[in-house]
Amino acid sequence: MTLLVIDTDPGVDDALALLLAWGSPGVRVEAVTTVAGNVPLGQCTLNLFRLLALRRPEPWPVVAAGADAPLARPLRTAEGYHGADGLGALGDWPEVEAEPALPNAIDLIVDMGRRHGERLTLVALGPLTNLALACEADLAAMRRIGRVVAMGGAVDVPGNVTPTAEFNFHVDPEAAARVLDAGLRLDLVPLDATGQATVTRAELERALGARPGPRAARVLAFTQHAFAREGGRLTLHDPLAVGAAFDETLLSWEPARLRIGGDGETRRAGGHPNCRIAVGVETERFVSVLLQRL
Ligand code: RIB
Ligand code: CA
């Protein structure tokens, strides 16, 4: 059993990542926390409840909302790619009550670390603001966590929001730096890996067409906005991080020491490694697993 806590800023690829986790046998999503990133925090949290209502996962995860802004700079969002509401700007989502449980995301993440320790994998799919605040609150609890898998960074490839920086780390470089220096068992899934994991609109339509229904129709609908921005292809950033969490053999890894630049750049540095970075992907096997489980 892979026990997950997922920190997320839904977002279209976050949504696919959550559906992958909830559709994976042997994976239990204990809690989901939201963080401002692709869209403002309130919208992230509303989107999470929309996805919960769509998927109705068993067990229903504990939900808490986290940071509404980066540690030390104004929030930069990504509605241009994800749509004005972060989920494809459909306008016809059923009404949901976005009622995060108490305590807040930082307390929940720390509590999960204290309670589950080595057995837990914490998956970060957005800016690392919540994780940095959790390290500040109880570093010992965070260091007990078995694996921290974070989608973020661009090590030997160009960035996707500036020529040198990836979005999650660009939004909150201070948080990324603190998490990298926190002594966690950190597995980074950067653009170097996620750029190898893409799906075409035709592949998604074919896979979902094999099992038609409301969920398939909704997934096809909320991905259209992002497909249009990427010319009919979708880069599976966050789903790959979830794949790495439940089956690390889907990727190849190397130890690295990284430092964070002022723009959120991830640059190699000398000295003892502070993370593993994913460098290779078994793309065909990963995409096949994803398409079966959405
Ligand atoms: O750079 C890709 C990352 O930024 C993904 O997590 C995507 O959802 C956005 O948050
Ligand atoms: Ca994300």
Side-chain angles (χ1 to χ4, degrees), residues 178-212:
R178 287 198 204 173
V179 169
L180 263 175
D181 291 341
L184 308 181
R185 280 169 277 195
L186 180 61
D187 281 346
L188 217 50
V189 182
L191 298 184
D192 309 59
T194 63
Q196 301 172 49
T198 64
V199 68
T200 65
R201 193 197 325 252
E203 287 169 339
L204 187 62
E205 286 170 351
R206 190 163 47 249
L208 293 176
R211 43 189 185 5

Side-chain angles (χ1 to χ4, degrees), residues 7-11 13-14 38 82 124-127 151 167-168 237-238:
D7 188 65
T8 178
D9 61 334
D13 61 321
D14 302 70
N38 287 318
H82 296 273
L125 304 179
M151 190 281 133
F167 178 81
N168 287 337
H237 303 291
D238 293 343

Side-chain angles (χ1 to χ4, degrees), residues 23-195:
S24 290
V27 172
R28 179 185 171 92
V29 181
E30 192 75 11
V32 182
T33 53
T34 53
V35 62
N38 287 318
V39 288
L41 179 67
Q43 187 66 55
C44 285
T45 307
L46 174 62
N47 288 344
L48 172 57
F49 278 89
R50 284 171 165 175
L51 295 166
L52 283 164
L54 175 70
R55 182 63 177 73
R56 310 204 63 71
E58 275 302 322
W60 193 278
V62 178
V63 172
D68 61 5
L71 294 182
R73 55 187 70 198
L75 175 63
R76 168 175 180 166
T77 54
E79 289 89 346
Y81 177 85
H82 296 273
D85 70 344
L87 280 185
L90 298 179
D92 66 346
W93 285 89
E95 283 301 310
V96 289
E97 287 297 311
E99 296 162 347
L102 291 175
N104 73 32
I106 312 315
D107 297 341
L108 184 54
I109 291 170
V110 165
D111 179 53
M112 289 286 149
R114 284 189 191 126
R115 202 180 321 166
H116 300 293
E118 182 72 30
R119 294 190 314 278
L120 180 66
T121 300
L122 173 59
V123 186
L125 304 179
L128 295 181
T129 318
N130 286 347
L131 272 68
L133 291 170
C135 288
E136 200 175 299
D138 189 338
L139 185 55
M142 293 298 284
R143 284 177 172 172
R144 292 191 59 227
I145 294 173
R147 284 177 75 204
V148 176
V149 179
M151 190 281 133
V155 182
D156 300 319
V157 298
N160 62 353
V161 69
T162 76
T164 51
E166 176 277 328
F167 178 81
N168 287 337
F169 284 18
H170 176 71
V171 166
D172 199 340
E174 287 76 15
R178 287 198 204 173
V179 169
L180 263 175
D181 291 341
L184 308 181
R185 280 169 277 195
L186 180 61
D187 281 346
L188 217 50
V189 182
L191 298 184
D192 309 59
T194 63

